[in-house]
Amino acid sequence: MDWRYYDTRRISVAVKVEPSLLHDQTRQYNCQGLCTEKIPRDLTEASLSGAGLSILAAFSMIFLFGMELNEYLRVSTSTSIVVDKSSDGDFLRIDFNMSFPALSCEFASVDVSDVLGTNRLNITKTIRKYSIDSRLNPTGSEFHSGAVTKAIKHDEEGDEEYGEGAVSLNGHNFDRLSHQHAILVVNFFAPWCYWSNRLKPSWEKAAKIIRERYDPEIDGRILMGKVDCTEELDLCKRNHIQGYPSIRIFRKGSDVREDHGHHEHESYYGDRDTDTLVKTMENLVAPISLQSRSANNIAAEVKDDAKRPAPSSGGCRIEGFVRVKKVPGNLIISARSASHSFDASQMNMSHVIYQFSFGKKITPRVMSDMKRLLPDLGGSHDRLNGLSYISNPSDSNANVTIEHYLQVVKIEVMTGSHKLVEEYEYTAHNSLVHSLEIPVAKFHYEPSPMQVLITENSQSFSHFITNVCAIIGGVFTVAGILDSILHNTIRLVKKVELGKNF
């Protein structure tokens, strides 16, 4: 205890004071005297300018925080060029879907060649064909043209001893004879065609033999005829004849009148020697009774691989894919046959491209997500889609080949070590070339040995927090400095004004 004596009104009073209370009270008195002197006036005096500066600082912090948050949420990317080390190895997939209004599925061929010497003709395993009408709509199920596995057999050349056995057909008597006989077998030929001239002797001999065995006037079950397509252009066009010679088998009662007089018929692709032709005609007649004389009762007929349905229209849609080596090469669509000739001046390779892309197929959902990240991604993935390339061979004596020059580069999008998407983009340049050869649609592609690597870079959360703290501290510091300068300036101005008044 500490006893102290105070003189109050001349009366001595002894007051008992606790040491701790005395210490706290003394410290409070000292603080009131010292602390008030150390706090700057610009922080204790309220002013309109200080309030405005505080509001401005608050809005600045909110604005800077919003910008920092947007930067944190936004994904940035970096782009680099590296050597192509893609997972698909040395091969590249090409997907396509195209319509050729003037190319029959009967002869449409997809070929691939490259600078290494690869030459693949008439690829069928991964290709589908559909006959299309003038409005490019499919007219039926998939067209199976089949593949010729052996050379077509003909009679020996030099044997010119034959008579005229086949009936000459034209646009006036064709329909009448096709309805008069149960089976009408027609040779559509061109006098300038080498293969038509090879077929002519055996065809006339076989027709003469069949006429003797099955008299058209008495029997009437079968008739062999011929059509010169250089004279009967409309008749040959109506039956979609594009290669010479084309042997077609028409059956009574199978014609479709609503399609411009078109007849459902078959194409014959077998040997062309006299014996084989005669045997084929007899097999056609065998299931038909002499009394009925109708080709409708042919359910028991054994299918022959040499006979396949003829195209129901003159156009063809070709879709599918091919795998090629990653070297410059060509994808060629053309009319091809080992035993037919084509009139180059009448061939038209105009086409409409629905799809043409390289690499693996990318779903629309994945591509949409990638475009939100990279708006320019995928813009050239299918550059040719929806484009039409039309030529008119009648404008020139030379046929027209349509060529596309494509330069291909691979793009990969990575996030860390994870691959988000890989795609191929390409540039396309097109030209129409006049030549004396059979016209084709050629896609010349050149894959780049380099690839574009796009890496996703995301900001760390710790960096975001650090920046937010820096924004808060920085704004307070700057606001304090500005407020101090403003307050001192105002005080100085007031002092000057007061000095002038005295």
Side-chain angles (χ1 to χ4, degrees), residues 250-319:
F250 298 88
R251 302 178 186 274
K252 183 179 180 180
S254 62
D255 42 330
V256 184
R257 284 297 177 183
E258 58 269 19
D259 187 14
H260 305 288
H262 166 68
H263 295 266
E264 296 293 340
H265 51 280
E266 294 176 313
S267 294
Y268 174 77
Y269 300 99
D271 290 333
R272 298 172 182 173
D273 60 292
T274 303
D275 294 339
T276 303
L277 291 173
V278 171
K279 184 177 179 180
T280 300
M281 303 307 151
E282 289 182 339
N283 291 337
L284 291 172
V285 176
I288 305 172
S289 63
L290 183 60
Q291 289 77 14
S292 66
R293 296 189 181 186
S294 174
N296 295 330
N297 302 326
I298 56 174
E301 181 182 354
V302 179
K303 290 187 178 180
D304 187 354
D305 291 338
K307 298 190 299 294
R308 292 188 294 273
S312 57
S313 59
C316 187
R317 175 176 295 179
I318 304 175
E319 61 182 56

Side-chain angles (χ1 to χ4, degrees), residues 37-217:
E37 293 296 332
K38 290 185 177 181
I39 299 176
R41 288 185 177 180
D42 56 340
L43 297 181
T44 58
E45 296 180 3
S47 64
L48 184 61
S49 60
L53 193 60
S54 299
I55 295 174
L56 181 62
F59 277 110
S60 298
M61 281 191 290
I62 294 174
F63 175 73
L64 293 175
F65 176 78
M67 292 184 63
E68 184 62 28
L69 180 62
N70 180 67
E71 184 67 20
Y72 172 70
L73 297 177
R74 186 174 65 88
V75 178
S76 61
T77 59
S78 59
T79 304
S80 57
I81 306 295
V82 298
V83 176
D84 186 5
K85 296 181 180 179
S86 48
S87 58
D88 47 7
D90 297 332
F91 291 90
L92 178 62
R93 172 170 170 151
I94 305 177
D95 286 270
F96 53 87
N97 184 352
M98 297 175 282
S99 288
F100 290 79
L103 176 62
S104 173
C105 287
E106 184 178 13
F107 301 111
S109 174
V110 179
D111 309 329
V112 169
S113 63
D114 60 39
V115 295
L116 297 181
T118 302
N119 194 18
R120 298 160 57 195
L121 303 178
N122 196 19
I123 300 173
T124 58
K125 187 176 181 180
T126 57
I127 304 298
R128 298 179 300 276
K129 303 176 186 176
Y130 301 89
S131 295
I132 57 175
D133 57 22
S134 58
R135 286 177 283 187
L136 308 183
N137 297 320
T139 58
S141 58
E142 181 180 353
F143 181 86
H144 297 279
S145 58
V148 178
T149 57
K150 61 184 182 65
I152 300 296
K153 182 180 179 182
H154 293 79
D155 285 343
E156 295 294 333
E157 293 187 83
D159 187 2
E160 298 295 338
E161 296 180 3
Y162 61 89
E164 295 291 331
V167 178
S168 295
L169 303 175
N170 52 49
H172 301 288
N173 62 3
F174 186 88
D175 287 340
R176 176 176 59 83
L177 293 176
S178 64
H179 287 81
Q180 183 177 344
H181 301 275
I183 299 292
L184 175 63
V185 187
V186 183
N187 170 26
F188 293 89
F189 70 97
W192 52 263
C193 171
Y194 168 78
W195 295 108
S196 295
N197 293 328
R198 286 292 306 274
L199 172 63
K200 184 176 180 179
S202 55
W203 186 261
E204 298 294 347
K205 290 179 184 178
K208 189 174 182 179
I209 295 173
I210 293 300
R211 178 184 288 272
E212 293 174 353
R213 294 181 183 180
Y214 307 95
D215 191 303
E217 301 297 333

Side-chain angles (χ1 to χ4, degrees), residues 233-251:
L233 296 177
D234 293 338
L235 180 58
C236 292
K237 184 177 181 180
R238 190 179 76 180
N239 290 281
H240 315 301
I241 305 300
Q242 294 184 1
Y244 310 105
S246 290
I247 301 176
R248 301 292 172 82
I249 303 170
F250 298 88
R251 302 178 186 274

Side-chain angles (χ1 to χ4, degrees), residues 403-421:
E403 296 186 357
H404 305 272
Y405 297 91
L406 314 177
Q407 293 179 310
V408 190
V409 63
K410 184 176 183 179
I411 298 178
E412 284 191 7
V413 181
M414 304 285 293
T415 172
S417 59
H418 177 64
K419 183 187 298 183
L420 292 179
V421 67

